[in-house]
Amino acid sequence: KPPMLLFSCAVSSAQAPASVPPNDWAHTVKLNNGVAMPLISLGTWQYSPAVAESTVRLGLSLGYNHIDAALDYKNQRSVGKALAEHDRASYFLTTKVPSRTSASSAFADTSKDLAADLEQLGLSYVDLMLVHFPPVGNTLHCAAMQEQWRALETFYRAKKARAIGVSNYCQSSLRCIARAANVTPAVNQIKYHIGMGPDPIGLRSYGDRLGIVTQAYSPLGDGTGELISGALVTGIGAKHNKSGAQVSLRWVVGHGVPVSTKSTSASLEAEDVPQGIHVPQPALERHVNPLSSAVFRCLHWIPLRCIHALLSVRCTVPSSRPDVGAFSSA
């Protein structure tokens, strides 16, 4: 998740009115267990402990009420210091645990990671706990994935998380845990931005059918300025006195997809979603960015259908693969 602009939550969607006051952070998405998740979250990936603390403190002072963290970010103690300055009910906290590959130890190891998240953050509960990614090999380690999900369900039943979900899971990952799950993941946090189309590899619509909210990270792409300063988005933005990044962010939110993004700049954190801007969705969806294809850290049921690249795996979803297992609502 590279550095990104942040913006106040002012969107036109089923969850929010078309016009709201600046810096109104109250818009939420209802998860499948009834929990209201704020639409915009402030990320902390790749920050040193000091930068993470100052960024979270700044974001909360500006009115952000959703912070995104992870055990693997190695800065949660500093995030917790900033959170400690605010009433616990005033913010929504998402964090994550890494994947596990051993079925015999996945439950115990994940339980330790869950406890470490709480200890490092200085909290008695989190609002949303995610499995950060499926293991390399994905469903080759299905039993371990199921045991890890069982640990999250136990954590959830103990009221240490208000909701649980996954990140970077594709259809085969979800089918795997569904065979043993008692609780449906509330969220699947995936890469989602212009150039991927509104339903990359059919994953968003698949989640919709299961009641799983798709949340976007990398809404401005990966390692490219095309969705910030490219001709298409800046051309649209110029017509409305908005930046190219605002157009790109508006495309994501315009599809009703919650966003996790990040910045250490006060001016960028306070930047608003453009109101009344016309974003020609078909033109944006046809826009092809060489780095914007649908890549998830997921290996499908036939391993040779996928190729490894930079710790990620690009997958082609087999159209004939039947769904296996069924989730029940939390």
Side-chain angles (χ1 to χ4, degrees), residues 48-161:
S48 69
V51 171
E53 182 177 349
S54 62
T55 299
V56 171
R57 183 173 288 111
L58 172 62
L60 292 172
S61 72
L62 291 171
Y64 282 86
N65 62 353
H66 185 176
I67 304 301
D68 183 273
L71 188 63
D72 277 350
Y73 295 170
K74 302 186 186 307
N75 56 19
Q76 287 197 130
R77 293 189 189 281
S78 296
V79 170
K81 289 180 182 178
L83 294 175
E85 299 170 4
H86 296 261
D87 181 76
R88 179 61 186 91
S90 68
Y91 61 85
F92 188 104
L93 191 285
T94 294
T95 190
K96 313 172 192 76
V97 291
S99 60
R100 295 292 176 176
T101 58
S102 170
S104 62
S105 62
F107 181 89
D109 289 344
T110 299
S111 297
K112 291 177 183 177
D113 289 340
L114 294 166
D117 272 328
L118 292 181
E119 188 274 328
Q120 290 178 13
L121 291 163
L123 300 176
S124 61
Y125 74 94
V126 298
D127 298 285
L128 176 63
M129 179 65 73
L130 304 178
V131 177
H132 207 158
F133 41 79
V136 173
N138 191 33
T139 54
L140 296 176
H141 304 289
C142 184
M145 295 166 68
Q146 292 172 347
E147 282 296 286
Q148 179 159 54
W149 187 249
R150 185 168 71 89
L152 263 73
E153 290 185 344
T154 301
F155 192 74
Y156 175 61
R157 287 195 297 270
K159 300 188 183 303
K160 295 180 179 179

Side-chain angles (χ1 to χ4, degrees), residues 230-315:
L232 177 67
V233 294
T234 56
I236 294 171
K239 297 176 182 178
H240 303 276
N241 194 31
K242 300 296 180 182
S243 69
Q246 285 177 307
V247 172
S248 296
L249 293 167
R250 184 63 182 83
W251 178 86
V252 175
V253 178
H255 280 290
V257 175
V259 173
S260 179
T261 185
K262 53 183 286 209
S263 174
T264 58
S265 163
S267 61
L268 298 183
E269 285 192 20
E271 194 166 290
D272 191 23
V273 168
Q275 294 297 306
I277 188 171
H278 174 64
V279 179
Q281 300 284 14
L284 291 175
E285 287 156 17
R286 288 195 301 268
H287 181 57
V288 178
N289 178 340
L291 298 178
S292 69
S293 55
V295 178
F296 305 99
R297 195 164 192 245
C298 181
L299 188 65
H300 283 275
W301 61 288
I302 300 178
L304 293 180
R305 297 177 81 84
C306 303
I307 57 173
H308 291 270
L310 300 176
L311 298 181
S312 294
V313 181
R314 183 170 302 184
C315 301

Side-chain angles (χ1 to χ4, degrees), residues 142 145-146 149 166 169 173-181 185 327:
C142 184
M145 295 166 68
Q146 292 172 347
W149 187 249
V166 295
Y169 268 45
S173 311
L174 293 166
R175 291 185 188 112
C176 163
I177 63 172
R179 298 186 191 119
F327 286 113

